[in-house]
Amino acid sequence: MDTPPTADHRICFFGDSMTQGTADPQCRGWVGRVCEAARVRGIDVTCFNLGVRGDTSRDVRQRWEAECAVRFTVPCATHVLFSFGANDMTLQDGALRVGYDESVANLQAMVVAARQRHAVLVVGPSPVNEPEQDERIVALCRRYEASAQQLQLPYLPIVRTLMSNQRWRGDVAASDGCHPGALGYELMASLVQRWPAWWFADNAA
Amino acid sequence: MDTPPTADHRICFFGDSMTQGTADPQCRGWVGRVCEAARVRGIDVTCFNLGVRGDTSRDVRQRWEAECAVRFTVPCATHVLFSFGANDMTLQDGALRVGYDESVANLQAMVVAARQRHAVLVVGPSPVNEPEQDERIVALCRRYEASAQQLQLPYLPIVRTLMSNQRWRGDVAASDGCHPGALGYELMASLVQRWPAWWFADNAA
């Protein structure tokens, strides 16, 4: 969707604890950092961080429309960024909280509905520092990526990049064991900012 | 309500643009600052900033319960802070967006419902740098304060303190004319942190 001709950019970020910024000593996560960077570049950004700890794709699907609707009530350039999936891959009583097929269907349903009215981006799920779950998250990320390609939707996979990054792993280990601290969230923010599809990318006009 | 015996503190902050942190170059407002300060003191705080630009007490009343419910899904110490009222006092077609009586009734209804299950605090409305509206906000703040006293609820009035503060006024003038920048949000954060009722006050145990 084309961005409306307004300088008033408002973004709803939907996701899980990694979007919320859990365990960040600065309480802002990568979301706060990329929005601050946009403001430093002179862009008028309003950041609604709607990450919720523990949320699966199913949880986000149930709430995103209502939470968007009350935040986008005046004419402005509306943006929605989704980032979830890690909690879908948690085992609960021996089964995935949300299976692969439903997870992909949730992503598709949200994206298709959201981009009728808003600019939409998807950042792939993050690792959780649990080897077997992380492998499932990598597999889900591939499914998300294929789905996004089909929908011609910009998609940023981050799980393998983070898993193989020693600074990331060290920061998670030094934090609560599954979320990073300030350094890890800075790293995530830099991945988003260097992504050409990011609305306010470092290399954008 | 007594705080449950857990170290996992989660707070939903409901309010308007001043709660959201609009125009803050750091995109975190006073809410992000007080939560960061709590983390610095070693308290495990999860911050859900649910401020929405333009919201009146009526708007918050319509959404707070649903937005709380999806964020407080696991056993944890749940906290709700309300801060609104300035937009109620905006004139629209010659009438207040929300009149005094309804505004007070909205506050009461939310507080009474919220404190059945959560720790609850109220921070009074902020000034908007428009002399006549600011006078109405001062009057509303007095009504809120009387209501809070009746309910034996901790209430922090800030409107007159901010209106009479030259650093605040200068910061708002240097920002967008009705919201402060980093300095003003720091000032608001310091008012909250020095408030003995604040859950993680500087002078708390």
Side-chain angles (χ1 to χ4, degrees):
Chain A
M1 187 187 147
D2 290 337
T3 303
T6 161
D8 178 355
H9 297 274
R10 307 195 185 189
I11 315 175
C12 285
F13 292 89
F14 288 99
D16 52 31
S17 57
M18 291 292 187
T19 299
Q20 191 270 328
T22 299
D24 180 8
Q26 296 173 22
C27 292
R28 53 198 192 121
W30 66 266
V31 165
R33 287 170 173 82
V34 299
C35 288
E36 179 184 26
R39 291 201 76 93
V40 167
R41 296 183 55 229
I43 299 156
D44 180 11
V45 168
T46 297
C47 164
F48 296 109
N49 186 330
L50 301 166
V52 173
R53 294 176 67 169
D55 260 20
T56 63
S57 62
R58 192 190 292 149
D59 297 321
V60 175
R61 185 173 177 180
Q62 281 164 359
R63 66 183 171 88
W64 80 272
E65 279 192 283
E67 294 188 355
C68 259
V70 296
R71 284 162 177 81
F72 294 154
T73 54
V74 297
C76 60
T78 59
H79 308 260
V80 177
L81 188 145
F82 294 107
S83 183
F84 48 70
N87 294 316
D88 295 31
M89 299 292 105
T90 301
L91 287 178
Q92 212 162 47
D93 303 325
L96 294 175
R97 285 184 66 196
V98 180
Y100 290 95
D101 289 347
E102 186 198 330
S103 186
V104 172
N106 287 336
L107 175 70
Q108 287 179 336
M110 284 186 260
V111 161
V112 167
R115 73 174 174 188
Q116 290 177 23
R117 281 171 292 166
H118 315 298
V120 177
L121 291 177
V122 177
V123 171
S126 317
V128 297
N129 196 29
E130 200 286 300
E132 292 185 6
Q133 184 166 348
D134 282 349
E135 282 313 310
R136 293 192 294 272
I137 294 171
V138 168
L140 181 66
C141 181
R142 284 202 197 95
R143 294 279 306 268
Y144 278 6
E145 194 163 15
S147 173
Q149 204 160 13
Q150 215 174 13
L151 293 165
Q152 297 186 287
L153 179 86
Y155 178 83
L156 180 67
I158 57 173
V159 58
R160 290 204 297 177
T161 307
L162 295 177
M163 281 168 71
S164 62
N165 186 304
Q166 286 308 316
R167 290 167 65 214
W168 170 269
R169 297 172 73 94
D171 198 45
V172 169
S175 176
D176 67 4
C178 54
H179 304 97
L183 192 147
Y185 283 116
E186 269 162 38
L187 188 59
M188 293 177 84
S190 74
L191 294 178
V192 173
Q193 280 172 248
R194 284 182 293 169
W195 180 27
W198 168 239
W199 299 299
F200 316 109
D202 287 341
N203 55 353
Chain B
M1 186 186 148
D2 289 338
T3 303
T6 160
D8 178 355
H9 297 273
R10 307 193 185 191
I11 315 174
C12 285
F13 292 90
F14 288 98
D16 52 31
S17 57
M18 291 293 188
T19 299
Q20 190 271 327
T22 299
D24 180 9
Q26 296 173 23
C27 292
R28 53 196 193 121
W30 66 265
V31 164
R33 286 169 173 81
V34 298
C35 288
E36 180 184 25
R39 290 200 77 91
V40 167
R41 294 183 56 227
I43 299 156
D44 180 12
V45 167
T46 297
C47 163
F48 296 111
N49 185 330
L50 300 166
V52 172
R53 294 175 65 170
D55 260 20
T56 62
S57 62
R58 191 191 292 149
D59 297 321
V60 175
R61 185 173 176 179
Q62 281 165 359
R63 66 184 172 85
W64 79 272
E65 280 192 283
E67 294 188 353
C68 260
V70 296
R71 284 162 178 81
F72 293 153
T73 54
V74 298
C76 60
T78 59
H79 308 260
V80 177
L81 188 145
F82 295 107
S83 183
F84 48 70
N87 295 316
D88 294 30
M89 299 291 105
T90 302
L91 287 179
Q92 213 163 47
D93 303 324
L96 294 176
R97 286 185 64 198
V98 180
Y100 290 94
D101 289 347
E102 185 197 332
S103 186
V104 172
N106 287 336
L107 175 70
Q108 286 178 336
M110 285 186 260
V111 161
V112 167
R115 73 174 175 187
Q116 289 177 23
R117 283 171 292 164
H118 315 297
V120 177
L121 291 177
V122 177
V123 171
S126 317
V128 297
N129 196 29
E130 201 284 301
E132 291 185 7
Q133 183 165 349
D134 282 349
E135 281 313 310
R136 293 193 293 271
I137 294 171
V138 168
L140 181 67
C141 181
R142 284 204 197 93
R143 294 280 305 266
Y144 278 7
E145 193 163 15
S147 173
Q149 203 159 15
Q150 214 174 12
L151 293 166
Q152 296 186 288
L153 178 86
Y155 178 85
L156 179 67
I158 57 174
V159 57
R160 290 204 298 178
T161 307
L162 295 177
M163 281 169 71
S164 62
N165 186 304
Q166 287 308 314
R167 291 168 65 215
W168 169 268
R169 298 173 72 94
D171 198 45
V172 169
S175 177
D176 68 4
C178 53
H179 305 98
L183 191 146
Y185 283 117
E186 269 162 38
L187 188 60
M188 291 176 86
S190 74
L191 294 179
V192 173
Q193 279 171 248
R194 282 181 293 170
W195 181 28
W198 169 239
W199 300 299
F200 315 110
D202 287 339
N203 54 353

